[in-house]
Amino acid sequence: MSAEHVTTLRRFNRYFTRRIGVLDDHYLGQDRPLGEARLLFEIGTGASLKELRTRLGLDAGYLSRMVRALEGQGLVRVSVHPTDSRLRLAELTEAGRAELAEQNRRADGLAKGLLDGLSEEQRGRLTEAVTVAERLLRLAGVGIRAVDTRSADARACLAGFAAELDERFPEGYATADLVPPEQIAVLLVAYEEERAVGCGALCALDARTAEIRHLWVHPDARGLGLGRRLLTALERAAAGRGHHVVRLDTHEVLKEAAAMYRTSGYVEIPAYDANAHASYWFEKVLVR
Amino acid sequence: MSAEHVTTLRRFNRYFTRRIGVLDDHYLGQDRPLGEARLLFEIGTGASLKELRTRLGLDAGYLSRMVRALEGQGLVRVSVHPTDSRLRLAELTEAGRAELAEQNRRADGLAKGLLDGLSEEQRGRLTEAVTVAERLLRLAGVGIRAVDTRSADARACLAGFAAELDERFPEGYATADLVPPEQIAVLLVAYEEERAVGCGALCALDARTAEIRHLWVHPDARGLGLGRRLLTALERAAAGRGHHVVRLDTHEVLKEAAAMYRTSGYVEIPAYDANAHASYWFEKVLVR
DNA sequence: GCAACCCTTTGACTAAAGTCAAAGAAATAT
DNA sequence: ATATTTCTTTGACTTTAGTCAAAGGGTTGC
C-alpha cells in the first residue's frame, strides 16, 4: 500500500476532528458532561442498559450511576424489561426528548454554519465526497467469516433473507424453503463491527460443481459493494474445496442480483434444478 | 440550503469520529494521558507555552503543570524566550522525539489497518474523496474581510506577495514596487481560522474604472479556489463603489493567474499603463 | 431443583481534566 | 518611575471519567 493513502487519511483525520469536532456532543450538551450528553443521545427512542453498555463501551457500574443521574434530573425513565426482568429499559421523558431536540438543533445550526461559506454547487460536491468516503470506510470495516450454520448470527441472516424474499416474491417465501443446514458446506457471514450484515451459503452439488445460495445483504449495508465481496469470497471457498464450477439461480424480481452476477462473470445456463423460486440460472467456471 | 447537506455532513461526522476516533492520540499515547499525548504532539518542533495554550485551549495553570510533568519524564526541555523573558519555550528532547515518532508509527499502522480491507482502486477513490472534502471544508472556513492597509495582517500578506514575485520574476520584485498604501481604496484579506492566507487590493483609476492589484494566495492555501473568491469579492467592492469596469495586469510567468482571469470573464486589452512587471492587461465590464 | 450464568446495583477507590485566584517576574504604556 | 499589563507558576479545589469487586435478584441448562 502506498504511503500516500495513509498520509492523506491521517491528514484528513487531523483536520476533520479539529475542525468538525465542534459538532461534537461536547459543545452540544450545553452544561452537561460529555458522557451524559452522549448517553442521552444513545438512549434516543429507548434502549436496554445492556445495549447502551456495549454501544458506548462503558463499565456497568459507571453506566448504572449515569442513568440514575439522568433519571434524577427528570430526563430519563427506567423500567424493567417485560419478558426478562434482569434487564432494565431506559427511555427519554418529555423533558429528555426536548433536550435531545435542542441538541439536534444546535448541531444542525453548526453544520449549516460550516456549509454556508460554500456555493450550492460546492455543497453538492462536499456531500458527494463525504458520502463516497463513508461508503468506502464502512466497506473497509467489514470482515467476512465462515460461521457455524446453527449460530445465532447465521440464523438471523437466513431469517432476514427469508423475510425479505417473502415480501418481494409474488408467490411468497417460507422459512422451509431455505436449504437445510446440513446441506450447507460453507456459510459465510459479513460482519460490520461485530454486527452480522449479510451472508451467503455454499452447497456441494457434486465434486466438480458447487452451488451458491442465500446470498443476502442487510438493507442497512447495501450500496457498499458487499454482495460482490461475499460472492467473491464464496467463489474462493468453492475453489479451495476443489470445485471447478459454481452455479446459482435467481428470481426475476431480483434485477440487481442478476445484473451483479452477469458483471461478475456468470453466464446464463438452462435450469439445473426445479427451484420454484428461480427464474434464471447462472454458472461461472473457476478452473478449466 | 437543503437539509440534505446538513444531514449528510452530520451523519458522516458521527460515523467518522466513532470509527476513526481510533486514530486519535488516545490510542496512540500508549499509557500516556490524552492531554499529555496531545501536548507532546503539539510541541513538535518547539513552541512557546503561550502558543500551546491558545492552540490547545488550555488553562494556564493546567498547561504549566503538564509541561512540568513531561519535563520530569525527560521528554521536554523548557527554556526562556531569548528576547521576551516572560515567555517560556518548550521543545522535545531526544526521548520526546522518539516517543512522538513511535506515536506516528502507531497511527500509520492503524490507518493502514483501516485501509487494508480495500482494493488498491478503492483506496484511491477514498483518498480522492477525502481530499476533495478537506479542500471544500477548508474553503468553507475562509472568510474575506476588508482591513486597514497598515495592519499587521495586511503588511504580512503584501510582504509575502512581494517575496514570491521576487523569486518568480526573472527581473525580481522589490517591496518598493508595491502600490503605496494611500493609493489602495480597499484591501481585502482572506482569513483561514484567523490566519491571513491571501489578499487583494482595489485602487481607483478614475470614477468609472478601478484596478485590482496584488492578488495573492499563501502557498498553504492554494488549490482551494481562494484566488477566484478574492477576485469576485474585489469586483463586488468595485461595483459597490460605483465603478463600471475593473482592470488588472499580470506577468507572463504567472500562467495560472492569466488563465483564472480569462475564465472569470476578463478579456485582454492593450497596455493601460507602463508597469514594468506586466506582460498582459485585462479588463472586465461590471456594469454597462 | 439447583448450579451456573446474566444483568444490574452499590461501595470504595483512582486518575485525569479542569477551574479559580493569588502572586511573582518581566515588559509596556503613560 | 510608576502603573498597568502580560505570562507563568503555585496552591487548593471540583468535576468527570473510569475501574474493580462484591452482592443480589433473575434466567437458563441440565
Side-chain angles (χ1 to χ4, degrees):
Chain A
M1 175 182 327
S2 82
E4 182 224 330
H5 296 315
V6 170
T7 311
T8 306
L9 188 59
R10 284 196 58 201
R11 182 167 39 71
F12 177 72
N13 177 44
R14 257 196 310 274
Y15 181 73
F16 190 83
T17 47
R18 193 172 49 75
R19 186 73 198 293
I20 319 292
V22 172
L23 282 181
D24 241 12
D25 333 64
H26 202 0
Y27 298 80
L28 304 173
Q30 295 126 273
D31 295 328
R32 195 167 294 295
L34 183 52
E36 279 184 25
R38 270 214 273 260
L39 182 52
L40 212 56
F41 176 85
E42 212 63 44
I43 290 173
T45 55
S48 69
L49 296 197
K50 185 189 170 189
E51 243 174 289
L52 293 169
R53 224 170 45 231
T54 57
R55 282 221 294 262
L56 292 162
L58 295 175
D59 172 81
Y62 186 28
L63 176 69
S64 173
R65 260 180 276 254
M66 264 206 293
V67 169
R68 207 60 51 201
L70 289 176
E71 203 181 13
Q73 293 167 64
L75 302 173
V76 164
R77 206 180 5 250
V78 178
S79 58
V80 174
H81 191 281
T83 68
D84 183 343
S85 30
R86 288 171 306 181
L87 289 160
R88 298 283 171 278
L89 296 177
E91 51 181 347
L92 297 182
T93 61
E94 192 48 53
R97 278 196 300 277
E99 172 144 349
L100 189 58
E102 169 63 18
Q103 202 174 300
N104 269 313
R105 260 192 305 280
R106 283 171 189 240
D108 278 354
L110 283 166
K112 267 204 195 80
L114 282 170
L115 287 171
D116 66 20
L118 297 177
S119 70
E120 187 57 29
E121 189 254 328
Q122 289 168 328
R123 276 178 218 147
R125 283 198 290 138
L126 177 58
T127 299
E128 199 196 308
V130 137
T131 305
V132 169
E134 184 173 339
R135 227 172 40 219
L136 287 165
L137 284 168
R138 283 186 63 189
L139 181 61
V142 172
I144 291 176
R145 296 202 291 274
V147 304
D148 191 289
T149 14
R150 288 147 314 180
S151 68
D153 289 335
R155 277 182 294 128
C157 280
L158 293 173
F161 169 79
E164 177 169 354
L165 296 195
D166 188 40
E167 199 165 285
R168 294 182 68 178
F169 290 178
E171 76 277 16
Y173 193 95
T175 315
D177 295 336
L178 293 168
V179 205
E182 64 277 12
Q183 282 180 33
I184 296 180
V186 180
L187 184 69
L188 297 185
V189 168
Y191 287 91
E192 184 179 19
E193 305 180 43
E194 301 318 302
R195 181 176 160 234
V197 293
C199 65
L202 191 76
C203 306
L205 291 181
D206 56 46
R208 191 178 139 73
T209 313
E211 187 182 16
I212 287 174
R213 299 199 59 180
H214 305 343
L215 184 60
W216 178 75
V217 174
H218 192 286
D220 292 349
R222 290 196 190 152
L224 303 181
L226 216 50
R228 205 177 293 270
R229 241 178 83 180
L230 276 164
L231 186 60
T232 313
L234 287 164
E235 289 166 6
R236 212 167 17 236
R241 301 178 136 250
H243 297 290
H244 289 201
V245 177
V246 281
R247 290 180 165 177
L248 51 83
D249 60 41
T250 189
H251 193 282
E252 62 181 348
V253 304
L254 304 175
K255 302 276 182 217
E256 335 78 73
M260 181 182 78
Y261 298 138
R262 279 182 224 279
T263 57
S264 293
Y266 285 78
V267 294
E268 204 172 337
I269 54 167
Y272 58 80
D273 64 10
N275 185 342
H277 299 293
S279 328
Y280 307 108
W281 288 260
F282 288 95
E283 178 175 281
K284 180 175 182 177
V285 178
L286 304 175
V287 184
R288 282 220 174 264
Chain B
M1 176 183 325
S2 81
E4 182 223 331
H5 296 315
V6 171
T7 311
T8 307
L9 188 59
R10 285 195 57 201
R11 182 168 38 70
F12 177 72
N13 178 44
R14 257 197 308 276
Y15 180 73
F16 190 82
T17 46
R18 194 172 47 74
R19 186 73 198 295
I20 318 293
V22 173
L23 281 183
D24 241 12
D25 333 63
H26 201 359
Y27 299 79
L28 303 174
Q30 295 125 267
D31 296 326
R32 194 166 295 296
L34 182 51
E36 279 183 24
R38 270 212 273 260
L39 182 52
L40 213 55
F41 177 84
E42 211 63 43
I43 290 173
T45 54
S48 70
L49 296 198
K50 185 192 170 185
E51 242 176 290
L52 293 170
R53 225 169 45 232
T54 57
R55 283 220 294 262
L56 292 162
L58 295 175
D59 173 81
Y62 187 27
L63 177 69
S64 172
R65 259 181 277 256
M66 265 205 294
V67 169
R68 208 60 50 201
L70 289 176
E71 202 181 12
Q73 292 167 65
L75 302 173
V76 163
R77 204 180 6 249
V78 179
S79 57
V80 174
H81 191 282
T83 68
D84 182 343
S85 30
R86 288 172 306 180
L87 289 161
R88 297 284 171 277
L89 297 176
E91 52 181 344
L92 298 182
T93 61
E94 191 49 54
R97 279 196 298 279
E99 171 143 349
L100 190 58
E102 169 62 19
Q103 200 174 302
N104 270 314
R105 261 193 304 279
R106 283 171 189 240
D108 278 354
L110 283 166
K112 266 204 195 82
L114 282 169
L115 288 170
D116 65 20
L118 297 177
S119 70
E120 187 56 29
E121 189 254 331
Q122 289 168 328
R123 275 177 221 148
R125 282 198 290 136
L126 177 58
T127 298
E128 198 195 310
V130 136
T131 305
V132 168
E134 184 173 338
R135 226 171 41 218
L136 287 164
L137 284 168
R138 284 186 63 190
L139 180 62
V142 173
I144 291 176
R145 296 201 290 274
V147 304
D148 190 290
T149 14
R150 287 147 315 178
S151 69
D153 290 335
R155 277 183 293 127
C157 280
L158 292 173
F161 169 79
E164 178 169 352
L165 296 196
D166 189 39
E167 198 165 287
R168 294 182 68 178
F169 290 177
E171 76 276 15
Y173 192 95
T175 315
D177 295 334
L178 292 168
V179 206
E182 64 277 12
Q183 282 180 34
I184 295 180
V186 180
L187 184 68
L188 297 184
V189 169
Y191 287 92
E192 183 178 19
E193 305 179 40
E194 303 317 303
R195 182 176 160 233
V197 292
C199 65
L202 192 75
C203 307
L205 290 182
D206 56 47
R208 191 179 139 72
T209 313
E211 186 181 16
I212 287 173
R213 298 200 59 178
H214 304 344
L215 183 60
W216 178 75
V217 174
H218 193 287
D220 292 349
R222 290 197 189 152
L224 303 182
L226 216 50
R228 204 177 293 271
R229 241 178 83 181
L230 276 165
L231 185 60
T232 313
L234 287 164
E235 290 166 6
R236 213 169 15 239
R241 300 179 137 249
H243 297 289
H244 289 201
V245 177
V246 281
R247 290 180 167 177
L248 51 82
D249 60 40
T250 189
H251 193 284
E252 62 181 349
V253 304
L254 304 174
K255 302 276 181 216
E256 336 77 74
M260 182 182 77
Y261 297 137
R262 280 181 224 278
T263 58
S264 293
Y266 285 77
V267 294
E268 204 172 337
I269 55 167
Y272 57 81
D273 64 10
N275 184 343
H277 299 295
S279 327
Y280 307 109
W281 289 258
F282 288 95
E283 178 176 281
K284 179 176 181 176
V285 178
L286 304 174
V287 184
R288 283 223 173 263

